Amino acid sequence: MSPDPDIKLAEHLFTALRDASTDGKGVTRDAYGQGEQTAHTIISNCAKELGLLVNIDGSGNLYLTLPGKDRSRPMRMTGSHLDSVPVGGNFDGAAGVIAGLAVLAGWRAAGYVPAVDVTVMGIRAEESTWFPYSYLGSKAAFGLVDNTVLDLRRADTGRTLRDHMVDLGLDPGRFGRPALNAEGIDRFIELHIEQGPKLVNAKVPVGIVTGIRGSFRYRDMRWLGKYAHSGAVDRRDRSDAVRAAAVWMAGIDAEWEALDEAGEDLVVTVGKLATNPTEHAFSKVAGELDCCIDVRSISEEVLDRYDQILRAKASTVCQRTATKVEFGQKTGSRPALMHPGLVGLLGAYASTRGINAMDMPSGAGHDAAVFANLGVKTAMIFVRNEHGSHNPDEAMALDDFALAARLLADGLADDR
Amino acid sequence: MSPDPDIKLAEHLFTALRDASTDGKGVTRDAYGQGEQTAHTIISNCAKELGLLVNIDGSGNLYLTLPGKDRSRPMRMTGSHLDSVPVGGNFDGAAGVIAGLAVLAGWRAAGYVPAVDVTVMGIRAEESTWFPYSYLGSKAAFGLVDNTVLDLRRADTGRTLRDHMVDLGLDPGRFGRPALNAEGIDRFIELHIEQGPKLVNAKVPVGIVTGIRGSFRYRDMRWLGKYAHSGAVDRRDRSDAVRAAAVWMAGIDAEWEALDEAGEDLVVTVGKLATNPTEHAFSKVAGELDCCIDVRSISEEVLDRYDQILRAKASTVCQRTATKVEFGQKTGSRPALMHPGLVGLLGAYASTRGINAMDMPSGAGHDAAVFANLGVKTAMIFVRNEHGSHNPDEAMALDDFALAARLLADGLADDR
């Protein structure tokens, strides 16, 4: 079996990343911004000190490679993303890159040379709260995006991806040039904190992912009514955007409840909602309401069915309330199944090592879905984590991380 | 019968007010701010040119008086407020002050002297979207507010009423000193645009108000859940503030529908709604949602009943969704009945003059409610107005205004 990962190094890197990207309340590593870039620099410098090969592709993704005995054969890959949501936690994404680096550092220190190249990837822009595009960095690495994405605007700055790349000294003209192809990759194993409470509730430190939920989103929905006096206009004469949206949300919530109770895999979230602050008042019927909706499932059929429910309910509500709705652009990602052989292999290693691990689906999306949907043999290892993710309270114990990194090393070293 | 109001002067004043308080899109006459103050100055200057007595009370309300034959007897009053909502229309409030001035100008030009003093009041801060207090100016004129209101903060600036008074050169130490008492007022007739569509729908130019809806408001409601990853946390593990608020709003909407169909007088408005822009994301379950609710009815019993419904539904929803709700402070105003004798008198004059007028309740609150609830003989005259109020599209025809002002003159001149 392969040598142990360097957990001391991992601990040092977690601290360095946190210190460099703190925003006072949590960490903010903005995609294609200074926060993410600082993380790339810290990881890249560490890899250079370890004597790994360091490459950056045209899209700004980072590759840290320990050369194997046979450099001509397809490589084994691991890694994750280095951005975070605004006011997020320190582990979501970064744990997967640091785990890969800890594995290679441990191997290098022990003089262990893998059979083929092993590459840790530091992926750009996975958190699509910045740029409205799922898996921007990993898709760009495979050449799966076209140039129009350079015109996408970052939600907080309103500036384009092109401008943000220039800020970082990256050449937008090279964005999206293929740096990876599926045939050149033997396997991809992504380590990530669990973002839900399943492992915590089950008191199990490590999860082995069987599949990743796909999604669809309407990020810019608008409900349109008519502003009116809140006292002087009776119920039948109103076009109330808030009332319409509320009745719609309650209606689709009841449908979700029914599907959930029927055992279908589905989560539905309206995470942002606002009347227009320049026109609303407590004494005005609202003429506008902006919101977004994020729908995820392991099943494409359920996603399609629920999309039809959203639209049918909206249409009924608009008729009943004399309002209009604009769904706006639909974005999303396909569900992805993990490779059963690789899942089984990781389970077998966990068993051999005496690591308590359980199989589970991933509710959140991950770059691993891009690899899997291209036919790469893909797996994911989850680390138990309290308080969820996308918030400053993420809490992953280093002991749990060490067990997961141990399993990652086994998965990358295995020569079968 | 008394001489005609000076409608040319009214037209001139409407234009002057609009020009002085335009915000590009509508008009903004901010309470105890420059917008309202400019309106007071324009009206006050005009009254001085007409030779009326001009007084300002400790709270900044304006009084324009045409002395009557017997100055010792209780005066007759008219008037309305001179502030507007943000991005509001030009007629809401101002029409009532301008109508009063047009009546006195017409009388003065014709050498007509009323039996007793007739006073037009320019009232401060009726639009409680600025300071969260119903009928601030008129209540202050009657000495009905205590000094704590000086600490109220204006919604847009966050600064106190005290500070805003100082800005205008008004002495906060004199705020709320009684300038009026019910015994000294023979009658109060407020002219106002209708803020709903009833007159437009009925094709009638003038309304005679029978009663004014009271209200209760929770201006600072908060729904509290727990931020979480939108993909990784399943339905049963969520505390979703948006979902809770939506289910609640839909629930109380169904109750409103039932009461409405049962013939109860009630309007319910959630005019402002927002997740926290510094923490929300399309990929996060929302942990916070701020909203407000405004509930109005002509019946205090219905208001009380609906308040209990709001609270009971919220409690059920919180249990079902693992969320919390904070209703915050409750504010509001009592319903007010107009004086049947005065209502009948105005109806009789309309009939005599051949003015097409209809009796109707007022959905919106008005300063007239303060006078009525103190026992002053009170009435209101509505002017037909398209597109509602509290928005830049208010559209009152000057011909309709002239009919209503004519009726106001009759109501103020009548010596019975």
Side-chain angles (χ1 to χ4, degrees):
Chain A
M1 291 201 255
S2 70
D4 282 340
D6 184 346
I7 300 302
K8 281 275 168 219
L9 175 71
E11 189 172 13
H12 162 74
L13 286 171
F14 281 126
T15 304
L17 280 195
R18 184 187 296 278
D19 290 349
S21 53
T22 180
D23 56 25
K25 197 164 176 184
V27 308
T28 296
R29 297 194 276 262
D30 48 327
Y32 287 99
Q34 275 312 319
E36 183 188 65
Q37 185 55 46
T38 302
H40 276 246
T41 304
I42 289 170
I43 296 297
S44 167
N45 287 344
C46 173
K48 284 175 193 159
E49 282 172 30
L50 292 169
L52 303 176
L53 305 180
V54 174
N55 286 292
I56 296 169
D57 70 17
S59 312
N61 295 298
L62 184 64
Y63 303 88
L64 321 169
T65 300
L66 178 65
K69 288 172 189 154
D70 183 349
R71 299 213 59 199
S72 68
R73 283 167 54 200
M75 62 182 163
R76 299 169 190 167
M77 289 188 72
T78 183
S80 191
H81 61 96
L82 285 171
D83 59 330
S84 77
V85 296
V87 199
N90 198 38
F91 303 115
D92 183 339
V97 180
I98 290 176
L101 209 49
V103 167
L104 299 193
W107 288 0
R108 203 150 174 98
Y112 174 83
V113 179
V116 301
D117 284 8
V118 177
T119 296
V120 179
M121 184 173 176
I123 303 171
R124 291 272 178 186
E126 192 267 351
E127 299 292 0
S128 53
T129 188
W130 301 107
F131 293 102
Y133 200 95
S134 296
Y135 312 135
L136 183 56
S138 50
K139 280 186 180 162
F142 281 104
L144 296 175
V145 295
D146 61 37
N147 276 341
T148 59
V149 300
L150 287 168
D151 296 320
L152 287 177
R153 290 177 187 279
R154 214 172 80 173
D156 59 332
T157 61
R159 297 174 62 235
T160 61
L161 174 56
R162 178 181 289 105
D163 290 344
H164 279 283
M165 288 190 75
V166 170
D167 285 354
L168 299 181
L170 295 168
D171 175 8
R174 296 182 59 228
F175 182 83
R177 287 203 194 161
L180 295 174
N181 68 80
E183 292 70 32
I185 306 169
D186 173 69
R187 72 192 72 165
F188 178 75
I189 307 176
E190 180 173 2
L191 178 148
H192 203 282
I193 57 168
E194 198 217 343
Q195 295 168 272
K198 287 201 180 87
L199 291 172
V200 168
N201 290 345
K203 299 192 167 62
V204 173
V206 174
I208 298 170
V209 174
T210 52
I212 298 174
R213 278 182 181 148
S215 68
F216 69 86
R217 290 95 185 241
Y218 296 104
R219 292 161 189 261
D220 300 300
M221 276 188 76
R222 283 175 67 71
W223 290 85
L224 298 169
K226 207 174 157 193
Y227 286 104
H229 190 287
S230 65
V233 181
D234 287 344
R235 182 176 175 88
R236 77 189 62 86
D237 295 316
R238 292 186 176 210
S239 305
D240 184 336
V242 168
R243 191 179 132 219
V247 171
W248 177 72
M249 288 188 287
I252 63 168
D253 183 62
E255 296 281 342
W256 175 25
E257 188 171 32
L259 287 165
D260 190 64
E261 281 172 5
E264 298 287 6
D265 182 69
L266 184 67
V267 283
V268 181
T269 309
V270 176
K272 296 165 67 176
L273 195 68
T275 46
N276 181 345
T278 67
E279 295 221 24
H280 70 187
F282 89 90
S283 58
K284 271 191 199 174
V285 174
E288 301 160 87
L289 182 135
D290 291 339
C291 67
C292 60
I293 187 164
D294 175 50
V295 179
R296 310 202 195 198
S297 174
I298 202 84
S299 155
E300 274 197 285
E301 186 274 324
V302 170
L303 289 176
D304 288 344
R305 201 176 351 148
Y306 199 70
D307 192 19
Q308 283 163 21
I309 289 171
L310 293 192
R311 291 184 169 273
K313 288 267 170 201
S315 163
T316 309
V317 167
C318 286
Q319 273 192 314
R320 271 190 53 202
T321 57
T323 55
K324 288 183 186 166
V325 66
E326 297 168 1
F327 274 79
Q329 210 199 334
K330 184 178 175 180
T331 59
S333 59
R334 290 173 53 207
L337 285 181
M338 299 294 94
H339 188 270
L342 198 49
V343 168
L345 183 79
L346 292 171
Y349 273 111
S351 196
T352 306
R353 295 270 188 194
I355 296 171
N356 189 7
M358 62 187 255
D359 285 1
M360 59 187 294
S362 169
H366 296 284
D367 291 299
V370 173
F371 288 78
N373 282 328
L374 285 168
V376 174
K377 202 161 77 180
T378 300
M380 288 194 75
I381 299 169
F382 272 178
V383 189
R384 173 168 57 187
N385 162 59
E386 278 202 274
H387 312 308
S389 79
H390 287 192
N391 72 66
D393 302 326
E394 286 177 4
M396 176 195 76
L398 204 65
D399 285 350
D400 292 349
F401 173 80
L403 294 176
R406 176 64 265 173
L407 206 53
L408 174 65
D410 289 335
L412 292 171
D414 186 273
D415 288 328
R416 278 167 287 182
Chain B
M1 290 202 255
S2 70
D4 282 340
D6 184 346
I7 300 302
K8 281 274 167 220
L9 175 71
E11 189 172 13
H12 161 75
L13 286 171
F14 280 126
T15 304
L17 280 195
R18 184 187 295 279
D19 290 349
S21 53
T22 179
D23 56 25
K25 198 164 177 185
V27 308
T28 296
R29 297 194 275 262
D30 48 328
Y32 287 99
Q34 275 312 320
E36 183 188 65
Q37 185 54 46
T38 302
H40 276 246
T41 304
I42 289 170
I43 296 297
S44 168
N45 287 344
C46 173
K48 284 175 194 160
E49 282 173 30
L50 291 170
L52 303 176
L53 305 180
V54 174
N55 287 291
I56 296 169
D57 70 17
S59 311
N61 295 299
L62 184 64
Y63 303 88
L64 321 169
T65 300
L66 178 65
K69 289 173 189 153
D70 183 349
R71 298 212 59 199
S72 68
R73 282 167 54 200
M75 63 182 162
R76 300 170 190 165
M77 289 188 72
T78 183
S80 190
H81 61 96
L82 285 170
D83 60 330
S84 77
V85 296
V87 200
N90 197 39
F91 304 114
D92 184 339
V97 180
I98 290 176
L101 209 48
V103 167
L104 298 193
W107 288 0
R108 199 144 177 103
Y112 174 83
V113 179
V116 301
D117 283 8
V118 177
T119 296
V120 180
M121 184 172 176
I123 303 171
R124 291 272 178 186
E126 193 268 351
E127 300 292 0
S128 54
T129 187
W130 301 107
F131 293 101
Y133 200 94
S134 296
Y135 312 135
L136 184 56
S138 49
K139 280 186 181 163
F142 281 103
L144 296 175
V145 295
D146 61 36
N147 275 341
T148 59
V149 301
L150 287 168
D151 296 320
L152 287 177
R153 290 177 186 279
R154 214 172 78 173
D156 59 332
T157 61
R159 297 173 62 236
T160 61
L161 173 56
R162 179 181 290 105
D163 290 344
H164 279 283
M165 287 190 76
V166 170
D167 284 355
L168 299 182
L170 294 168
D171 175 7
R174 295 181 59 228
F175 182 83
R177 288 203 194 161
L180 295 174
N181 68 80
E183 292 70 32
I185 306 169
D186 173 70
R187 72 192 72 165
F188 178 75
I189 306 177
E190 180 172 2
L191 178 147
H192 203 282
I193 56 168
E194 197 217 344
Q195 295 168 274
K198 287 201 179 87
L199 291 172
V200 168
N201 290 345
K203 298 192 167 62
V204 172
V206 174
I208 299 170
V209 174
T210 52
I212 298 174
R213 278 183 181 147
S215 68
F216 69 86
R217 290 95 186 242
Y218 296 104
R219 292 161 189 261
D220 300 300
M221 276 188 75
R222 283 176 68 71
W223 289 85
L224 298 169
K226 207 175 156 194
Y227 286 104
H229 190 288
S230 66
V233 180
D234 288 344
R235 182 176 175 89
R236 77 190 62 86
D237 295 317
R238 292 187 175 209
S239 305
D240 183 337
V242 168
R243 191 179 131 218
V247 170
W248 177 72
M249 288 188 287
I252 63 168
D253 183 63
E255 296 281 342
W256 175 24
E257 188 171 32
L259 287 165
D260 190 64
E261 281 172 5
E264 298 287 6
D265 182 69
L266 184 68
V267 282
V268 181
T269 309
V270 176
K272 296 165 67 176
L273 195 67
T275 46
N276 181 345
T278 67
E279 295 221 25
H280 70 187
F282 89 90
S283 58
K284 271 190 199 175
V285 174
E288 301 160 88
L289 181 135
D290 291 339
C291 67
C292 60
I293 187 164
D294 175 51
V295 179
R296 309 201 196 198
S297 173
I298 202 83
S299 155
E300 274 197 286
E301 185 274 324
V302 170
L303 289 176
D304 288 344
R305 200 173 357 145
Y306 200 70
D307 192 19
Q308 283 163 21
I309 289 172
L310 293 192
R311 291 184 169 273
K313 287 267 171 201
S315 163
T316 310
V317 167
C318 286
Q319 273 191 315
R320 271 189 53 202
T321 57
T323 55
K324 287 182 186 167
V325 66
E326 297 168 1
F327 274 79
Q329 211 199 332
K330 184 178 175 181
T331 59
S333 59
R334 289 172 53 206
L337 285 180
M338 299 295 94
H339 187 270
L342 198 49
V343 168
L345 183 79
L346 292 171
Y349 273 110
S351 195
T352 306
R353 296 269 187 194
I355 296 171
N356 189 7
M358 63 187 256
D359 285 1
M360 59 188 294
S362 169
H366 296 284
D367 291 299
V370 173
F371 288 78
N373 282 328
L374 285 168
V376 174
K377 201 161 76 179
T378 300
M380 288 195 75
I381 300 169
F382 272 178
V383 189
R384 174 167 56 186
N385 163 59
E386 278 202 275
H387 313 308
S389 79
H390 288 192
N391 72 67
D393 302 326
E394 287 177 4
M396 176 195 77
L398 204 65
D399 285 350
D400 291 349
F401 172 80
L403 295 176
R406 176 65 266 174
L407 206 54
L408 174 65
D410 290 334
L412 292 171
D414 186 274
D415 288 327
R416 278 166 288 182

